[in-house]
Amino acid sequence: METYIAFLRAVNVGGRTVRMDRLRELFTALGLDGVRTYIQSGNVFFRSAETDRAALTARIEAGLAEGLGYPVPVMLRTVEEVEALVALDPFAGVEVTEDVRLCVLFLSEPPPPELVLPVASPKGDWEMIGASGDAAFVVMRLRGGRMNGNPATAFPKSYRGQATSRFFHTTAKIAAAARKA
């Protein structure tokens, strides 16, 4: 049995509120084992013997859409994959201040090959400094205490993938909590 982490997009933002006990119910109803959630932003750990990740992702997305009444894109990773991502230390050398946030974009597909990194927003709100496999690393700069801009706009319109972001320090905590699960 593999332990997976499902990073859900657009959960508990934009008026789409989902209680974590409801998410656990939906995942359990799909026949997944040891279902746990971590904080309120749509992080679910579970175990499954399913080896076809695309099929498992599609099954989870269908179950969430049916149970919640709207689509929820899922970026599925193993604990080992998330630990390896954290171990890359992609933000080494980035000075962290009270106005800087380090984020991981979990992608449903690898970044497009024509994406040239680093790339920054015209206003300097964010800078995508690197990518690895199916993740991108973004430095967000707060303006007036708020994060602005969408780093996914760096991808060309031909990119058909989905993305969801997590703070880097939260990603490390998610991996550690999933390892204990």
Side-chain angles (χ1 to χ4, degrees):
M1 297 271 277
E2 183 75 65
T3 300
Y4 288 98
I5 304 170
F7 294 96
L8 310 182
R9 181 172 181 254
V11 169
N12 292 337
V13 295
R16 291 183 168 180
T17 304
V18 182
R19 294 177 52 95
M20 295 301 102
D21 59 343
R22 178 68 176 136
L23 274 182
R24 288 189 297 273
E25 288 172 9
L26 291 170
F27 273 72
T28 301
L30 292 170
L32 304 171
D33 294 322
V35 177
R36 292 185 47 216
T37 55
Y38 185 83
I39 64 177
Q40 299 293 314
S41 58
N43 310 294
V44 183
F45 323 139
F46 62 90
R47 289 185 311 277
S48 175
E50 175 69 59
T51 58
D52 183 338
R53 189 178 313 203
L56 181 57
T57 300
R59 187 162 61 97
I60 293 168
E61 288 178 342
L64 291 173
E66 182 179 325
L68 299 174
Y70 54 84
V72 178
V74 175
M75 281 26 92
L76 201 56
R77 304 294 186 272
T78 65
V79 173
E80 292 79 11
E81 289 167 340
V82 177
E83 289 172 336
L85 191 77
V86 170
L88 289 174
D89 196 13
F91 299 102
V94 174
E95 183 180 354
V96 177
T97 68
E98 65 183 38
D99 294 326
V100 170
R101 302 293 183 271
L102 309 177
C103 299
V104 176
L105 282 181
F106 290 95
L107 308 173
S108 63
E109 298 178 19
E114 63 269 27
L115 180 67
V116 178
L117 298 173
V119 62
S121 71
K123 294 182 180 180
D125 296 332
W126 56 264
E127 180 180 13
M128 190 176 297
I129 62 170
S132 175
D134 48 12
F137 309 110
V138 179
V139 177
M140 300 290 295
R141 291 181 178 76
L142 276 61
R143 305 255 189 243
R146 298 185 61 173
M147 289 194 297
N148 299 301
N150 180 358
T153 60
F155 299 138
K157 291 185 194 255
S158 61
Y159 182 69
R160 297 290 175 230
Q162 298 281 335
T164 189
S165 66
R166 300 294 185 273
F167 290 126
F168 185 66
H169 70 278
T170 303
T171 301
K173 290 178 182 179
I174 289 168
R179 173 61 65 195
K180 290 180 184 177

